[in-house]
């Protein structure tokens, strides 16, 4: 709703049969972000020390000239790879989010290995299924059992719960949630299973052992659609629920009860998230979990099977958007999760190339969301690093920049969207004029490229023209037609979505035996068959607790942390600690508690909470650094170690000590 050029309220589209008009509380209150008094409105140049937040206003021409000159000086001294365009998904559209890639590809700047979100999850799913899609999520309404494994849709994917509610009402479906702590989704579940962080692979193996041992494996299905069921059965014979209990902490009888419920339900829908994959063994855990419907043959049934993501159903040709025809594969691809080690000059992270001396960021706030916060900040404070940040608010990263550029929000620019949890391709035009001097990502990327002398066509096109080009290349209706229609349904036919015409591997079979060498160079320690990969940052005498830095319901990483309603609902940085642990440490509600490890420590307030195991601690966030007493946030504790076999952030794989502050 628009009222005199301002948002009154944001609603979903009731014609959309996936969302049914339901949107999350964060976006429903988006007016607080769009019209926030603290939005950046004009380009800024640093005048004080890095991090002090002292800037002066300058013009766009001055800001872009300054950034361009810094790029030219740096590449003249160190070569093009010294420049690192750094981004992720703070802006989700395929044009505004991804246009930064054509800048790097056109000029040979360092590429980016996008590991901060779903790399481990994708690798684990691909190991088994071979393609990243699954059952249409609307089929959940036709299920008799829905298992939500490793995600919290009440907080992060609210539309999932619409279809869960339909299944419960119409079919009496059961909801099982598997998560290390009692999330809001687990609160409304029929069954909550809480494994120790990083042990989901062991739990899945224990379940599969019961499925084989008690005659619930579908041998006809496996012989037709999988690679080595006999090997898998033999391998799992020793992975009993008792074995899984010793690793996961989930009682053996609880594992058996769940296995029987799952194995005896044809229409069992496995909705897999990626929270549990943000671990050093996350890909192995995902592979193990994804094996379940292949063992029972649940893929055969409507309302059965699994969905991790539908990211590969859309087929959008982003050649011009990303500059795919300008890629030099010899250009190094720096691991974005290792930005701290990279900016502090660790040679293995630089991949044999020059130091990063120019950092240009869009859609991300690395000083708060990246692992090893102290290293990230130390690196961004280097005198020889020029940083240009294109942002909506004065984030911790923006305070460390030399040039800060004001950015539009999604209602103020054109873009094209695809989803992972649904199957609709959509475009939109701006509903609001950009406030102040704010400019979109496309405008900024294009302006820098033109100043650097590029004649590549995409740098001379508007966002709408890029959308239209991508749609035409993809054999889709043009942008105006898609805008009028509302969306394109990109769902796969039943047999294809359920892989009944074959999985994505050359042999057409689901692979119980994963070829990890195809998914990353560091595969030597991995088991081909599903197992518990014991490489996590486990409990020890020195670090007896395992930390999960889980998403908060009303924050989206560090987006929405500035809105009053989100701040009021979330309160303050808080550690959920088991009541027995609180008693042992003499902690009561609201007490200050310090969590730490070799990388640093933070002080938060304790809350006794019985919805987790005794050695698990949860801090929901991501809160800004300034919300913590000592000015650094929770990611000071998380490691930049890459997950096996092909990298990936390990935000939920952190051992810590805990004591009263």
């Amino acid at each position: 709703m628009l009222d005199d050029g301002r948002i009154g309220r944001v609603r979903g589209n009731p014609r959309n049969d996936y969302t049914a008009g339901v949107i999350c509380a964060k976006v429903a209150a988006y007016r607080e972000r769009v019209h926030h008094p603290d939005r950046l409105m004009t380009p800024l140049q640093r005048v004080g020390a890095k991090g002090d937040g002292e800037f002066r206003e300058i013009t766009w021409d001055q800001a872009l000239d300054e950034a361009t000159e810094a790029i030219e000086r740096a590449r003249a001294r160190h070569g093009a790879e010294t420049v690192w365009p750094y981004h992720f998904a703070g802006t989700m559209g395929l044009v505004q989010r991804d246009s930064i890639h054509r800048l790097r590809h056109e000029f040979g700047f360092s590429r980016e290995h996008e590991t901060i979100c779903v790399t481990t999850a994708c690798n684990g799913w691909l190991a088994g299924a071979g393609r990243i899609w699954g059952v249409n999520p609307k089929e959940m309404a036709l299920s008799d059992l829905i298992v939500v494994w490793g995600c919290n849709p009440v907080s992060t994917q609210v539309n999932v719960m619409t279809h869960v509610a339909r299944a419960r009402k119409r079919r009496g479906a059961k909801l099982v949630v598997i998560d290390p702590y009692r999330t809001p989704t687990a609160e409304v579940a029929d069954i909550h299973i809480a494994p120790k962080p990083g042990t989901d692979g062991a739990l899945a193996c224990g379940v599969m052992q019961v499925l084989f041992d008690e005659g619930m494996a579908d041998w006809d299905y496996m012989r037709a659609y999988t690679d080595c069921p006999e090997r898998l059965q033999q391998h799992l014979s020793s992975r009993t629920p008792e074995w899984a209990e010793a690793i996961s902490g989930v009682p053996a009888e609880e594992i058996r009860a769940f296995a029987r419920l799952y194995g005896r339900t044809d229409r069992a829908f496995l909705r897999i998230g990626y929270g549990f994959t943000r671990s050093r063994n996350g890909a192995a855990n995902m592979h193990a979990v994804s094996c379940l419907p292949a063992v029972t043959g649940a893929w055969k049934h409507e309302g059965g099977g699994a969905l991790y993501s539908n990211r590969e159903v859309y087929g959008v040709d982003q050649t011009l958007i990303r500059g795919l025809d300008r890629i030099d594969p010899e250009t190094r691809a720096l691991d974005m999760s290792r930005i701290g080690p990279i900016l502090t000059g660790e040679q293995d992270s630089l991949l044999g190339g020059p130091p990063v001396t120019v950092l240009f960021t869009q859609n991300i706030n690395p000083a708060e969301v990246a692992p090893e916060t102290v290293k990230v900040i130390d690196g961004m404070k280097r005198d020889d690093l020029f940083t240009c940040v294109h942002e909506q608010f004065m984030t911790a990263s923006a305070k460390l920049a030399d040039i800060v550029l004001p950015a539009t929000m999604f209602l103020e620019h054109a873009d094209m969207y695809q989803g992972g949890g649904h199957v609709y391709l959509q475009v939109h035009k701006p509903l609001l004029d950009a406030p102040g001097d704010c400019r979109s990502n496309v405008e900024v990327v294009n302006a820098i490229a033109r100043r650097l002398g590029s004649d590549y066509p995409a740098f001379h096109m508007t966002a709408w023209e890029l959308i239209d080009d991508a749609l035409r290349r993809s054999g889709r209706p043009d942008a105006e037609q898609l805008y009028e229609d509302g969306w394109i349904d990109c769902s796969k036919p039943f047999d294809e979505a359920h892989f009944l015409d074959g999985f994505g591997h050359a042999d057409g079979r689901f692979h119980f035996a994963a070829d990890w060498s195809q998914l990353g160079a560091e595969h030597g320690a991995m088991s081909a068959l599903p197992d518990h990969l014991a490489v996590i940052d486990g409990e020890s005498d020195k670090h007896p607790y395992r930390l999960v830095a889980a998403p908060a319901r009303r924050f989206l990483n560090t987006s929405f942390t500035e809105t009053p309603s989100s701040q009021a609902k979330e309160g303050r940085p808080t550690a959920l600690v088991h009541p027995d642990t609180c008693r042992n440490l003499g902690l009561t509600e609201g007490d200050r508690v310090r969590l730490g490890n070799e990388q640093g420590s933070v002080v938060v307030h304790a809350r006794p909470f019985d919805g987790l195991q005794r050695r698990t601690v949860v801090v929901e966030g991501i809160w800004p650094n300034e919300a913590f007493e000592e000015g650094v946030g929770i990611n000071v504790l998380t490691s930049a170690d890459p997950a096996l076999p092909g990298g990936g952030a390990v935000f939920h794989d952190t051992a810590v000590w805990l004591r009263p502050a």
Side-chain angles (χ1 to χ4, degrees):
M1 255 179 96
L2 293 178
D3 182 13
D4 217 11
R6 295 174 65 87
I7 298 175
R9 184 179 177 188
V10 179
R11 296 188 178 96
N13 187 340
R15 294 191 299 112
N16 187 304
D17 60 359
Y18 176 67
T19 68
V22 176
I23 58 173
C24 68
K26 296 183 287 288
V27 178
Y30 207 79
R31 63 186 178 276
E32 294 182 36
R33 292 201 83 235
V34 171
H35 305 303
H36 199 291
D38 294 339
R39 275 194 71 175
L40 293 170
M41 291 293 188
T42 189
L44 302 172
Q45 183 179 46
R46 178 175 61 85
V47 295
K50 289 189 176 183
D52 286 352
E54 295 180 23
F55 295 88
R56 70 180 181 94
E57 294 185 3
I58 57 175
T59 67
W60 266 101
D61 282 339
Q62 289 173 316
L64 292 171
D65 287 345
E66 184 79 14
T68 304
E69 289 166 10
I71 290 171
E72 289 176 330
R73 288 194 303 270
R75 63 178 180 171
R77 181 177 181 187
H78 297 288
E81 287 184 337
T82 195
V83 181
W84 194 17
Y86 186 83
H87 92 124
F88 202 61
T91 294
M92 289 294 293
L94 299 183
V95 178
Q96 302 292 350
R97 182 189 68 195
D98 294 339
S99 283
I100 195 172
H101 288 297
R102 69 173 175 274
L103 184 68
R104 76 172 86 247
H105 297 153
E106 169 72 348
F107 296 101
F109 301 151
S110 285
R111 295 185 292 146
E112 182 178 273
H113 186 19
E114 296 181 359
T115 57
I116 206 163
C117 189
V118 297
T119 302
T120 49
C122 288
N123 284 341
W125 180 269
L126 284 168
R131 295 301 301 269
I132 303 180
W133 66 61
V135 176
N136 190 314
K138 292 184 292 184
E139 282 193 36
M140 278 185 282
L142 304 173
S143 303
D144 294 319
L145 172 66
I146 299 167
V147 180
V148 173
W149 196 314
C151 59
N152 176 19
V154 164
S155 297
T156 62
Q157 300 177 52
V158 65
N159 303 116
V160 168
M161 301 308 295
T162 299
H163 301 281
V164 170
R166 289 173 180 169
R168 292 174 118 175
K169 182 177 180 180
R170 297 172 184 174
R171 304 183 62 84
K174 299 292 186 184
L175 174 63
V176 176
V177 172
I178 300 175
D179 199 285
Y181 76 114
R182 193 172 63 238
T183 64
T185 309
E187 290 274 6
V188 300
D190 297 285
I191 298 170
H192 173 218
I193 298 172
K196 295 178 181 178
T199 66
D200 299 78
L203 175 59
C205 287
V207 171
M208 287 188 284
Q209 193 275 339
V210 176
L211 296 176
F212 279 109
D213 190 56
E214 298 190 7
M216 291 176 283
D218 187 333
W219 283 97
D220 290 339
Y221 176 87
M222 287 190 292
R223 287 175 177 136
Y225 287 98
T226 71
D227 59 343
C228 57
E230 291 83 4
R231 271 183 68 195
L232 178 65
Q233 181 186 35
Q234 178 60 35
H235 169 76
L236 292 173
S237 61
S238 62
R239 272 70 173 173
T240 63
E242 286 73 21
W243 169 87
E245 177 182 357
I247 296 168
S248 70
V250 178
E253 284 313 304
E254 197 172 319
I255 297 172
R256 282 195 174 86
F258 168 63
R260 290 164 181 159
L261 175 63
Y262 183 80
R264 293 169 182 167
T265 308
D266 290 339
R267 295 187 177 212
F269 193 110
L270 184 56
R271 184 62 176 96
I272 309 176
Y274 41 79
F276 76 102
T277 72
R278 289 173 172 165
S279 178
R280 290 166 177 82
N281 63 357
N285 290 342
M286 170 62 88
H287 176 241
V289 172
S290 73
C291 290
L292 290 173
V295 171
T296 65
W299 286 110
K300 297 185 303 185
H301 305 286
E302 189 175 36
L307 173 64
Y308 150 60
S309 170
N310 271 315
R311 63 187 299 167
E312 289 186 359
V313 305
Y314 296 95
V316 176
D317 187 331
Q318 291 185 273
T319 297
L320 281 189
I321 295 171
R322 288 175 168 255
L324 299 178
D325 52 351
R326 308 295 286 178
I327 294 176
D328 179 357
E330 298 301 315
T331 302
R332 68 179 177 181
L334 298 174
D335 185 339
M336 68 178 304
S337 298
R338 294 187 59 75
I339 185 174
I342 287 166
L343 294 184
T344 53
E346 294 186 16
Q347 290 302 304
D348 61 332
S349 298
L350 290 168
L351 306 179
V356 171
T357 60
V358 174
L359 186 70
F360 171 50
T361 75
Q362 288 183 325
N363 319 325
I364 195 166
N365 175 17
E368 290 173 333
V369 305
E372 299 187 6
T373 300
V374 171
K375 283 187 179 180
V376 176
I377 293 173
D378 286 348
M380 293 186 75
K381 284 184 174 179
R382 282 172 28 215
D383 290 333
D384 66 331
L385 175 70
F386 177 89
T387 301
C388 179
V389 170
H390 188 202
E391 251 296 355
Q392 298 162 348
F393 291 92
M394 185 57 75
T395 62
S397 300
K399 288 179 181 177
L400 292 163
D402 298 280
I403 294 292
V404 179
L405 305 175
T408 51
M409 295 185 183
F410 82 96
L411 293 173
E412 300 158 355
H413 55 235
D415 217 336
M416 173 167 51
Y417 295 91
Q418 65 184 37
H422 63 74
V423 289
Y424 298 124
L425 180 66
Q426 303 168 85
V427 300
H428 80 83
K429 297 179 180 180
L431 292 176
L432 300 172
D433 293 332
D437 286 331
C438 294
R439 294 187 185 179
S440 71
N441 290 356
V442 169
E443 291 174 294
V444 173
V445 164
N446 286 359
I448 292 173
R450 291 196 298 265
R451 275 174 163 76
L452 291 171
S454 174
D455 60 1
Y456 187 70
F459 293 122
H460 302 267
M461 297 168 66
T462 65
W464 194 251
E465 289 169 338
L466 288 165
I467 293 169
D468 197 63
D469 173 83
L471 290 169
R472 292 178 185 276
R473 289 171 181 266
S474 308
R476 303 291 193 184
D478 62 37
E480 288 293 340
Q481 185 63 56
L482 177 50
Y483 182 73
E484 286 184 24
D485 293 343
W487 57 79
I488 298 173
D489 185 343
C490 299
S491 58
K492 298 286 185 181
F494 181 89
D495 282 1
E496 199 171 350
H498 286 251
F499 296 106
L500 298 180
D501 62 349
F503 287 89
H505 299 291
D507 61 5
R509 294 175 176 269
F510 183 91
H511 284 189
F512 292 132
D515 183 359
W516 296 111
S517 68
Q518 299 298 308
L519 297 165
E522 303 300 323
H523 55 84
M526 303 191 73
S527 166
L529 293 168
D531 213 335
H532 172 64
L533 180 59
V535 296
I536 60 175
D537 188 15
E539 302 166 16
S540 66
D541 291 341
K542 192 172 185 180
H543 301 115
Y545 303 98
R546 295 267 291 157
L547 170 68
V548 175
R553 184 168 187 173
R554 288 172 178 83
F555 297 160
L556 181 58
N557 295 322
T558 57
S559 293
F560 299 96
T561 59
E562 68 287 321
T563 58
S565 63
S566 294
Q567 292 173 348
K569 293 290 186 180
E570 296 299 334
R572 62 188 179 185
T574 299
L576 305 180
V577 184
H578 195 278
D580 291 350
T581 302
C582 288
R583 281 191 288 272
N584 291 339
L585 296 175
L587 296 171
T588 59
E589 175 80 34
D591 284 352
R592 294 164 61 251
V593 61
R594 186 177 291 277
L595 294 81
N597 57 20
E598 303 300 331
Q599 293 166 190
S601 65
V602 296
V603 174
V604 296
H605 293 267
R607 178 182 301 157
F609 181 72
D610 63 1
L612 36 64
Q613 294 198 31
R614 287 174 174 79
R615 294 298 180 94
T616 300
V617 177
V618 173
V619 177
E620 295 179 330
I622 300 171
W623 286 90
N625 291 340
E626 63 187 19
F628 292 80
E629 288 187 16
E630 295 160 337
V632 289
I634 197 65
N635 281 320
V636 71
L637 305 175
T638 61
S639 172
D641 285 356
L644 298 178
V650 297
F651 290 113
H652 305 327
D653 189 0
T654 306
V656 295
W657 46 259
L658 175 69
R659 58 177 179 245

